[in-house]
């Protein structure tokens, strides 16, 4: 099992420019899980590009852009 950070930990990593992109598989992450909370925050807040059935979220917009 692959552990996920909490939403707050992930947001801190994004703000610290330690994570630049998030790739979400078709069907998304399960609701009520840390991965699901992260996915909903990212898709609802940041620029998203669809590639086939996958979603690519540009996290650099949250960290001030630039990458």
């Amino acid at each position: 099992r692959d552990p996920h950070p909490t939403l707050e930990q992930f947001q801190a990593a994004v703000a610290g420019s330690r994570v630049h992109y998030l790739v979400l598989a078709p069907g998304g992450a399960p609701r009520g899980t840390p991965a699901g909370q992260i996915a909903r925050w990212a898709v609802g807040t940041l620029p998203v590009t669809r590639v086939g059935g996958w979603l690519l979220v540009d996290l650099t917009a949250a960290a001030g852009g630039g990458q």
Side-chain angles (χ1 to χ4, degrees):
R1 190 170 145 120
D2 188 19
H4 296 283
T6 65
L7 175 57
E8 293 78 19
Q9 290 169 329
F10 187 79
Q11 289 171 325
V14 170
S17 297
R18 294 189 308 272
V19 184
H20 296 225
Y21 294 95
L22 176 65
V23 179
L24 299 170
R31 290 185 171 267
T33 66
Q37 292 171 341
I38 290 167
R40 281 192 304 284
W41 167 76
V43 169
T45 307
L46 301 162
V48 177
T49 301
R50 184 174 297 279
V51 180
W54 297 76
L55 297 179
L56 175 65
V57 184
D58 181 1
L59 302 174
T60 62
Q67 292 290 332

